[in-house]
Amino acid sequence: IAKGVDGRIGIAYVVDATQLTGNSGDVMLIESTDNGQSFSTPLKIFDATIHEDNTFLGAFKGISLVYNNNTPNVVFEVCKQNLSGNFYPKEPAGIMHWSSLLNGSNPNKSKYIARNDSVNFLSSIPFYNAYANDFLTSICRPSIGTFSDSNYMAVVFISSTQNTRVYKYDTISYNAVYLTYTYNKGTSWTRPQKITPDELRDWTYPSISAYNFSSSLPYKANIIAT
């Protein structure tokens, strides 16, 4: 949930894989201009494609919404799933961004800002399997924030690393926090950079302030993580 400068309220959400047949893994946005008394008809901003084997690349758990002034910006994670509600943490995944300012038409405006399925993209980061059953994929849990200079936004997220812990029959992945930012309202994004040190191996659930005040470059992002 987020609020625009003019008071509008937005809610972005993921359609569960076992609900609303035909919309599994899709992302929706609704808005209210009367303090939440009523909301608009859901706008589909991402459409997962379901394959013949009942698998699909769709939105999963992590989703974050912020208003850049009155423009909604949504980031969400996508991963391989199936219609029974299962997901595949040992497969590549990605973080996508949607804004009403992006070119194209809905639900096909959103684009990758981080991915690990190929090195041939500016958004590419290394791929490592995600182990353990914490509903974490190889790239996940994005959080988006704006700055006092509204040309800028930043997104933080986590990614599996090569570091793992083996305990009895369980293998657990350690994660790192990455950051990417835009200087043109989301038209393009920088290559994601790891911002956590290797000495402390496991970082999860990052959150960036929805609004980051900075009076001059370099702008500062306020982030917390577990």
Side-chain angles (χ1 to χ4, degrees):
I1 189 169
K3 187 178 181 181
V5 172
D6 64 358
R8 71 182 62 203
I9 298 169
I11 300 175
Y13 61 93
V14 177
V15 179
D16 185 86
T18 59
Q19 304 295 324
L20 294 178
T21 302
N23 293 284
S24 301
D26 293 348
V27 179
M28 305 288 192
L29 174 71
I30 56 176
E31 290 185 304
S32 172
T33 57
D34 56 9
N35 297 315
Q37 295 296 319
S38 62
F39 281 87
S40 61
T41 300
L43 172 67
K44 183 183 292 189
I45 62 175
F46 175 76
D47 188 14
T49 302
I50 299 175
H51 306 298
E52 291 183 358
D53 62 356
N54 288 329
T55 64
F56 62 95
L57 184 69
F60 191 47
K61 296 288 186 180
I63 187 169
S64 177
L65 165 66
V66 75
Y67 279 91
N68 194 0
N69 292 323
N70 292 312
T71 301
N73 287 267
V74 183
V75 290
F76 52 94
E77 63 189 64
V78 293
C79 71
K80 183 180 178 181
Q81 303 171 64
N82 65 33
L83 294 178
S84 299
N86 297 316
F87 73 108
Y88 300 82
K90 297 180 179 64
E91 296 286 342
I95 306 294
M96 302 195 78
H97 166 250
W98 174 91
S99 168
S100 58
L101 291 182
L102 294 179
N103 293 328
S105 57
N106 291 310
N108 302 309
K109 283 188 174 187
S110 56
K111 61 183 180 181
Y112 281 102
I113 60 174
R115 60 196 302 173
N116 58 14
D117 58 344
S118 173
V119 298
N120 297 319
F121 298 96
L122 180 64
S123 54
S124 175
I125 66 171
F127 169 64
Y128 301 103
N129 289 336
Y131 294 98
N133 189 25
D134 293 326
F135 296 101
L136 300 176
T137 65
S138 54
I139 303 179
C140 59
R141 297 305 192 270
S143 176
I144 186 171
T146 63
F147 291 80
S148 43
D149 180 344
S150 62
N151 291 302
Y152 283 75
M153 292 182 289
V155 173
V156 290
F157 60 92
I158 62 173
S159 172
S160 299
T161 69
Q162 70 272 30
N163 298 314
T164 57
R165 176 177 183 263
V166 179
Y167 179 73
K168 295 184 178 179
Y169 300 105
D170 292 329
T171 300
I172 301 170
S173 294
Y174 291 135
N175 297 285
V177 174
Y178 280 75
L179 181 145
T180 178
Y181 70 90
T182 176
Y183 49 84
N184 51 21
K185 299 183 184 294
T187 300
S188 60
W189 295 77
T190 60
R191 182 179 295 278
Q193 296 292 317
K194 186 171 69 171
I195 61 172
T196 48
D198 292 331
E199 289 79 11
L200 295 174
R201 289 189 173 185
D202 198 23
W203 299 80
T204 50
Y205 307 114
S207 179
I208 186 172
S209 176
Y211 179 80
N212 298 270
F213 176 78
S214 259
S215 57
S216 61
L217 288 168
Y219 296 141
K220 311 287 194 305
N222 300 285
I223 300 165
I224 60 172
T226 303

